[in-house]
Amino acid sequence: MQRLLYLFIFLLLFPASGNAESLELEIRVADEELHDVLSLAIHPPAALVDADQINHRWLKRFQQQLPELVSKILQPYGYFFSQTDSEVQKNGPDEYTLNLEVEPGTPMRITTIDLKISGSGAADAQIQKLYDNFPLKNGDILRQDYYEEGKAALRQEALNQGYLAAEYLQHQIRVNRQEKWTEIVLHLDTGERYQFGTTTFVESGDYPDRYLRRHLTWNKGDDFSYTRVGTTRLSLINTDLFANVLVSPKISSTDAVVPVEVNISPLPRYRLRPGIGFGTDTGGRVSLDYRVLNLFKKAHQLRGELFVAQREQGFDTTYIIPDLRRKDSRTLLRVGMDREDTETFLSRKVFVEGGYQRSFSQKLNGSLYTRYSSEYSLIATEETRTRMLLTGLRFTWQTIDDLLQPRQGTQFSLQLQGAEKSLLSDTTLLQLSGSILQLLPLPHDFFFFVRLEGGTTWQRDQFHDMPASLRFFAGGDNSVRGYAYKSLGPENSTGEVIGGQHLLVANLELEKKLSANWGIAAFYDIGNAFNDLNNYDLAQGAGLGVRYYSQIGTIALDLARQVGSVGENRYRIHFGVGFGW
């Protein structure tokens, strides 16, 4: 009895288990698109396999339902005469396959398409363009998805163009299976075009009404457009002044005038944002960004940064006065101090600057500025104290697809500045500098990056009167890798680098993306600073790097080697964040 009891307990704890039966579906149809459609739409019901056993009675019923099910799935794609056969195939003791053989038959083609647009928007160019390019024509296979796509696009375009009462008077697909003809009837009445009414700002946070209205892309009485509504909302969001922006047209079924309510929630007036970082050019770095918004309730801003790095320290404060007539223009008043201590020079500088900045398009920005600075420089063993009143122009052109992780685009910058000795300056000069960057996507997740940088200086006085900040140097993370930061340039009689009047640098880089977050790169850099346009030597560097694509930008770690230099070639590690944009 004791042994029987043990056996009973063992059977309870370890019940006998049979092999689980499985059922797979195999669909055979000649057309690849129809195969994908059927594969997504048809799945054997879960109840067919209950307790790991196939219910063959319900499987048989499911097979009987398949022809009707397949027919309903294929009809929106123009196939009304499909033939479906199925059989269950036993592949092993517990493995079954339901084979579905589908012959879609001859598709139904459109015999007549009656497409009409009435109302005041019938002659609208954008609506007419969609009318002419309606995705279905006479003789085409009847595709309900194309019909719905074209139908929705026509009405949406009418709404976008301000015909807010646009409705379909008729919208039908008629199919005669016996006589094998199909007809599409689609009549859109646009109604009249609505106009913008009064625009009201709600919860504006004491921002001046004139400042807010410069972001509007319409005037009262203009034709209504949802595109303009979206552009205005985006313009307000891009100011980085508001936490939420809601632009609400108040549409009425009895009035063709649309008042607009703009509800905005201002960001906090004060913001402090600490930061920490590291780069091989400047060493470790801590910073504090600060911002004060809507000063004096006139939409003025105060922005700046206080930073301390191993080789550079300083602060920069900018007072921003927006142009109340143009949203793409503003006046900038800057004051700052900068101290830079490299292997080549020591520079201490204070400056004040006034400028006017304007956008000429979404890609092109320009500014006119005047800067007064006082700078102490120690270059090699030579000390200089220089006052400069510089007036200049800056232009930037930028078309990139992503600011943090660019994959294609172009950036161009140009700066022209000059000083006259008789106007609060210790030397007379004219300096032109600029750079162009191009990122090209290549097949198989390769990217090619090229960067050219150059500058030239015309100076009336002796070169030793030039402060360190206006001399050209090469070398570093964003220059010629393999060399220390600003360690390349003309040398004095004792071999110490003192900087040059001209600069020429080129960077070539081939990057391969290995995964969503990692990549590798090979690069070649060439360039130098020099004083004689007819006689100069260009330093070279080449190497390999690793790229990590993070949410704060591309993190680059490069191992570079000097190429062709006199003496022992040395390796150097470069580390930085960003792609040089």
Side-chain angles (χ1 to χ4, degrees):
M1 290 297 294
Q2 188 177 16
R3 291 179 180 177
L4 289 175
L5 179 61
Y6 288 155
L7 178 61
F8 179 72
I9 294 174
F10 176 83
L11 292 175
L12 287 178
L13 294 176
F14 302 97
S17 58
N19 293 328
E21 294 183 335
S22 64
L23 177 67
E24 293 186 2
L25 177 65
E26 180 70 29
I27 300 174
R28 300 190 184 99
V29 61
D31 189 289
E32 184 176 348
E33 181 184 15
L34 296 183
H35 180 274
D36 293 341
V37 169
L38 292 171
S39 297
L40 289 173
I42 299 177
H43 300 281
L48 287 180
V49 182
D50 186 22
D52 294 331
Q53 298 294 315
I54 295 176
N55 189 324
H56 290 271
R57 178 182 170 187
W58 282 102
L59 178 57
K60 189 74 172 177
R61 182 173 178 82
F62 178 63
Q63 286 181 262
Q64 294 171 352
Q65 296 172 345
L66 281 173
E68 182 180 356
L69 177 61
V70 169
S71 178
K72 288 181 178 179
I73 294 171
L74 295 184
Q75 284 182 17
Y77 296 88
Y79 295 90
F80 288 79
F81 307 101
S82 62
Q83 298 292 327
T84 302
D85 293 318
S86 64
E87 64 173 358
V88 177
Q89 176 181 334
K90 187 173 183 179
N91 303 317
D94 303 291
E95 297 178 358
Y96 296 85
T97 299
L98 175 57
N99 294 311
L100 188 62
E101 195 80 31
V102 178
E103 174 56 47
T106 303
M108 294 281 281
R109 295 186 178 272
I110 300 171
T111 308
T112 305
I113 182 166
D114 181 12
L115 179 60
K116 292 181 181 178
I117 298 177
S118 59
S120 57
D124 186 281
Q126 296 300 319
I127 298 176
Q128 190 64 39
K129 183 178 179 180
L130 286 180
Y131 172 88
D132 294 336
N133 295 300
F134 194 77
L136 291 175
K137 307 291 183 185
N138 285 337
D140 289 349
I141 296 176
L142 178 62
R143 290 285 299 261
Q144 188 171 341
D145 53 342
Y146 293 171
Y147 164 81
E148 295 293 346
E149 175 188 324
K151 173 186 170 185
L154 266 175
R155 183 172 181 272
Q156 186 59 52
E157 186 60 38
L159 295 176
N160 289 342
Q161 296 302 319
Y163 302 95
L164 303 184
E167 291 291 346
Y168 281 105
L169 302 179
Q170 294 187 63
H171 50 98
Q172 293 179 321
I173 298 179
R174 300 169 183 167
V175 178
N176 189 312
R177 300 180 62 174
Q178 287 72 30
E179 300 180 12
K180 296 185 178 180
W181 58 260
T182 64
E183 181 182 33
I184 291 178
V185 179
L186 199 59
H187 294 174
L188 175 66
D189 180 19
T190 67
E192 62 178 311
R193 196 170 197 173
Y194 283 49
Q195 281 78 43
F196 282 102
T198 303
T199 302
T200 305
F201 287 89
V202 181
E203 297 183 11
S204 61
D206 294 328
Y207 278 89
D209 188 72
R210 188 178 175 186
Y211 170 79
L212 297 173
R213 290 187 181 278
R214 73 177 193 158
H215 294 279
L216 298 179
T217 54
W218 66 81
N219 293 311
K220 185 177 181 180
D222 288 350
D223 292 331
F224 183 86
S225 167
Y226 276 113
T227 302
R228 290 187 178 187
V229 171
T231 302
T232 294
R233 180 176 181 273
L234 185 61
S235 177
L236 287 165
I237 290 174
N238 287 341
T239 63
D240 195 26
L241 302 176
F242 309 109
N244 294 293
V245 178
L246 181 62
V247 184
S248 305
K250 303 301 180 181
I251 300 170
S252 170
S253 59
T254 59
D255 191 351
V257 176
V258 184
V260 180
E261 185 178 280
V262 183
N263 196 309
I264 54 179
S265 302
L267 288 169
R269 187 177 180 186
Y270 302 96
R271 186 185 72 183
L272 293 175
R273 180 177 294 171
I276 187 171
F278 177 84
T280 46
D281 283 349
T282 59
R285 175 188 179 101
V286 293
S287 63
L288 181 65
D289 291 333
Y290 51 91
R291 184 175 77 165
V292 184
L293 302 180
N294 199 22
L295 285 164
F296 311 114
K297 298 182 180 180
K298 293 185 176 182
H300 295 188
Q301 297 183 47
L302 183 67
R303 297 191 178 201
E305 179 188 26
L306 174 66
F307 58 92
V308 177
Q310 184 177 345
R311 300 183 183 94
E312 186 177 9
Q313 307 85 39
F315 73 88
D316 188 334
T317 296
T318 304
Y319 189 84
I320 304 171
I321 305 173
D323 188 329
L324 297 182
R325 293 175 299 175
R326 299 179 57 93
K327 69 175 183 178
D328 55 4
S329 302
R330 56 186 184 172
T331 299
L332 306 176
L333 303 175
R334 297 178 61 197
V335 60
M337 180 276 289
D338 183 73
R339 180 185 183 277
E340 190 171 9
D341 188 0
T342 72
E343 296 181 8
T344 309
F345 64 84
L346 169 66
S347 169
R348 294 196 298 265
K349 177 178 59 178
V350 293
F351 68 89
V352 292
E353 177 181 304
Y356 180 73
Q357 187 180 83
R358 177 179 172 183
S359 297
F360 297 95
S361 68
Q362 290 183 345
K363 304 174 183 177
L364 179 63
N365 293 290
S367 63
L368 171 67
Y369 66 91
T370 297
R371 168 185 283 210
Y372 180 79
S373 64
S374 176
E375 181 173 353
Y376 165 81
S377 302
L378 175 61
I379 307 172
T381 58
E382 187 173 329
E383 294 183 82
T384 61
R385 298 182 185 275
T386 312
R387 297 175 304 152
M388 299 293 294
L389 181 64
L390 287 164
T391 299
L393 291 167
R394 297 188 188 105
F395 292 98
T396 60
W397 170 277
Q398 182 169 276
T399 58
I400 59 175
D401 58 350
D402 191 313
L403 290 174
L404 292 179
Q405 295 185 18
R407 286 295 170 261
Q408 67 177 20
T410 303
Q411 185 187 71
F412 171 78
S413 65
L414 184 69
Q415 177 175 270
L416 177 66
Q417 58 182 359
E420 169 58 45
K421 192 171 184 178
S422 61
L423 298 175
L424 300 178
S425 298
D426 290 332
T427 186
T428 298
L429 62 84
L430 184 66
Q431 189 173 80
L432 177 66
S433 60
S435 65
I436 183 169
L437 304 92
Q438 180 71 53
L439 180 61
L440 300 172
L442 300 175
H444 308 296
D445 285 330
F446 279 94
F447 302 91
F448 182 68
F449 173 68
V450 58
R451 176 178 179 268
L452 301 175
E453 182 181 9
T456 186
T457 306
W458 297 272
Q459 188 181 17
R460 185 183 300 169
D461 304 305
Q462 296 296 320
F463 180 71
H464 64 76
D465 295 329
M466 182 92 70
S469 62
L470 293 177
R471 300 188 187 192
F472 290 116
F473 298 87
D477 299 345
N478 296 310
S479 182
V480 183
R481 284 165 284 190
Y483 295 86
Y485 179 56
K486 294 187 176 182
S487 64
L488 294 174
E491 300 174 351
N492 61 13
S493 58
T494 61
E496 297 173 293
V497 175
I498 59 173
Q501 293 177 265
H502 314 291
L503 176 71
L504 185 61
V505 173
N507 309 103
L508 304 175
E509 186 168 310
L510 183 65
E511 181 179 325
K512 166 65 174 176
K513 188 174 183 180
L514 301 177
S515 67
N517 297 109
W518 291 96
I520 56 175
F523 58 86
Y524 171 75
D525 302 332
I526 183 171
N528 211 334
F530 46 92
N531 288 324
D532 190 344
L533 292 172
N534 297 314
N535 183 21
Y536 55 88
D537 294 321
L538 297 180
Q540 303 175 67
L544 300 174
V546 177
R547 304 288 180 264
Y548 178 72
Y549 312 117
S550 72
Q551 294 183 351
I552 61 172
T554 301
I555 299 175
L557 178 63
D558 294 326
L559 177 63
R561 184 179 189 270
Q562 299 173 12
V563 176
S565 60
V566 177
E568 181 183 357
N569 289 334
R570 293 185 300 171
Y571 290 91
R572 190 174 186 88
I573 293 176
H574 295 269
F575 177 81
V577 178
F579 207 83
W581 297 93

